[in-house]
Amino acid sequence: MIYLIITGIVVLLLLIIAFECVYFYRRTMIRSNVKTERTIKMAGTDWGQHMDFIGKRKEYMLSLPRKDVYINARDGLKLHGTYFPTGDEKKVVICFHGYTSEGMKGYIALSEYYSKKGFSLLLPDARAHGKSDGKYIGFGCLDRFDALEWIKYIIATLGEDVQILLHGTSMGGATVLMTSGLELPKQVKGIVSDCAFTSPKYVFTHVLHSMYHLPAFPLIQITSTVNKRKAGFSMDECNAAREVTKAKVPILFIHGDADTFVPYSMCEEIYENCKSPKKKLIIKGAAHAESYYKDTKAYEDALNDFIGSCIK
C-alpha cells in the first residue's frame, strides 16, 4: 500500500513537471505563442507616462525615407529589416530590439537621435519576430549570427569605408554583447548595450523565482535539452558575460537600477567581465528598457561621449 502511494506521488510529480515544462516552453520559445502584451506586463514598465514623447518621436521617424531590406540567415531563414538612409551613408547604426518587439517599434525614440547625428539606421526584425521568418526565438544565441550577416550586408551595400555601431535593448542588448565575442569586421567600431541579460538560462531562472515563485530545477534543464533539439541551442550555450571576455571593440553598458525583469546585477557581472574598452551608465529609478525615457539627457550625453570616442 505504501509502495503504491509513493509511486502515485512520484507519477503525479513527474506529470506536474512535464506540464510545467511544456507550458513554459510553448509560451516562451515558440513564436506563435509569445505575446507582446504579456512581455510588457511581466517587465513592469509603466509606458503610459511616456506615450506623448513616444508619439512625437514616432511622427518624426515615419517622416523619414525608408525601405524594406532582406537577407538570408546562415540557416536559410529570410530576415527582414527596415533601412533609413541618412547623409552619405558612411555611418550606420544597426539596432536590435527586445523580446516580442519589432525593429520599427523598438527604436521609435532613438531613431530621431541617431538620424540627427548623421547616422543611417538599420532596424532588423529578429528571427521569429516581425516580418522575419522563424518558429523559435533565438534569445541572442542564434541572433548573434544573424547580426553578423546584417553587418556583412551593410558593408557589401555601402562599402568598405562604412563605420558601424551596434545598439541593442534587452534581448537585443544580449544579442550585441554575444556578437562581441565573434570575429567582427573592422568596420564595427562600437557596441551599445541597454538592459541586456547574461543568458536565457539565468533570465528565465530569475523570472521563475520572482514572478512564478517556482524552482528553476529541473524545469530549466529539461527545457534546455528540448530547445537544443528543436531550436539548436541550449539555455546557457551562449552567455553575454562569457562572450565579452573575447570582445575587442568598445562597449557602452546602460541599465536602470529599478529593472525587475532583467536585474541590474546582470549588467554589473557582464561589465566586470568585459575585456575591451568600456563605459557604463546607470539610470536611477529606470525600469526595464526605460532608461532613455527616464533620463533622455544623461542617455544622449553618454552616447555622444561614446560615439565621439570610437567613430570619426
Side-chain angles (χ1 to χ4, degrees):
M1 185 65 175
I2 295 177
Y3 174 78
L4 291 176
I5 292 173
I6 293 174
T7 301
I9 291 173
V10 171
V11 170
L12 179 60
L13 288 174
L14 290 175
L15 288 173
I16 291 172
I17 291 171
F19 174 80
E20 287 179 347
C21 289
V22 172
Y23 175 78
F24 176 73
Y25 186 79
R26 287 181 60 83
R27 69 184 263 136
T28 305
M29 306 299 296
I30 299 177
R31 176 187 195 144
S32 59
N33 296 315
V34 300
K35 305 296 181 184
T36 302
E37 297 78 10
R38 186 165 62 228
T39 303
I40 292 173
K41 183 178 180 180
M42 291 172 65
T45 305
D46 179 11
W47 289 110
Q49 62 183 315
H50 304 300
M51 291 312 295
D52 287 345
F53 179 70
I54 292 172
K56 292 176 182 177
R57 290 296 180 97
K58 183 176 182 179
E59 184 178 354
Y60 176 85
M61 182 181 77
L62 294 179
S63 72
L64 299 173
R66 62 191 184 277
K67 62 180 179 179
D68 294 319
V69 293
Y70 296 88
I71 62 169
N72 290 321
R74 66 174 191 166
D75 58 359
L77 292 181
K78 187 177 182 181
L79 304 177
H80 168 265
T82 306
Y83 178 65
F84 294 78
T86 301
D88 62 3
E89 300 183 81
K90 291 304 178 183
K91 293 192 301 182
V92 179
V93 58
I94 310 177
C95 302
F96 299 88
H97 63 77
Y99 179 60
T100 73
S101 186
E102 299 175 15
M104 286 289 286
K105 293 179 180 178
Y107 283 86
I108 290 172
L110 274 163
S111 61
E112 179 170 337
Y113 167 81
Y114 276 120
S115 65
K116 289 184 176 179
K117 289 286 290 184
F119 279 84
S120 295
L121 291 88
L122 175 61
L123 310 182
D125 292 336
R127 58 174 53 221
H129 290 76
K131 296 178 182 177
S132 289
D133 291 345
K135 179 178 180 180
Y136 299 102
I137 310 296
F139 284 101
C141 297
L142 300 179
D143 306 285
R144 59 182 171 150
F145 299 112
D146 299 339
L148 189 58
E149 294 303 317
W150 281 117
I151 291 167
K152 293 176 181 177
Y153 167 83
I154 287 295
I155 296 170
T157 304
L158 301 180
E160 293 288 327
D161 57 342
V162 69
Q163 298 182 86
I164 299 173
L165 182 71
L166 307 180
H167 191 139
T169 302
S170 192
M171 187 182 79
T175 295
V176 296
L177 293 180
M178 293 175 184
T179 304
S180 76
L182 302 176
E183 192 66 35
L184 295 176
K186 64 181 181 180
Q187 288 82 1
V188 178
K189 303 299 183 181
I191 293 173
V192 181
S193 169
D194 187 340
C195 63
F197 54 76
T198 50
S199 75
K201 174 184 176 180
Y202 291 108
V203 76
F204 292 159
T205 296
H206 170 73
V207 168
L208 286 170
H209 288 166
S210 64
M211 299 182 185
Y212 293 94
H213 308 292
L214 291 171
F217 180 85
L219 195 152
I220 291 291
Q221 286 70 22
I222 296 173
T223 302
S224 182
T225 300
V226 171
N227 199 62
K228 178 69 174 179
R229 181 170 61 85
K230 289 182 173 292
F233 68 97
S234 60
M235 294 300 183
D236 197 40
E237 183 169 309
C238 187
N239 186 312
R242 292 197 300 265
E243 294 305 309
V244 294
T245 63
K246 299 177 282 185
K248 297 177 183 178
V249 300
I251 302 177
L252 170 62
F253 295 87
I254 302 172
H255 216 107
D257 69 355
D259 192 337
T260 59
F261 193 47
V262 177
Y264 159 63
S265 59
M266 288 193 181
C267 177
E268 291 290 357
E269 178 185 356
I270 302 169
Y271 181 83
E272 290 301 320
N273 284 0
C274 182
K275 299 304 181 185
S276 64
K278 56 190 177 183
K279 297 183 179 182
K280 180 171 60 175
L281 172 68
I282 305 303
I283 301 295
K284 299 293 183 183
H288 187 64
E290 191 187 23
S291 291
Y292 185 65
Y293 304 89
K294 196 73 173 181
D295 194 338
T296 304
K297 184 179 185 306
Y299 200 113
E300 291 186 351
D301 285 347
L303 284 178
N304 290 337
D305 179 62
F306 181 70
I307 292 170
S309 70
C310 61
I311 291 185
K312 299 177 181 178

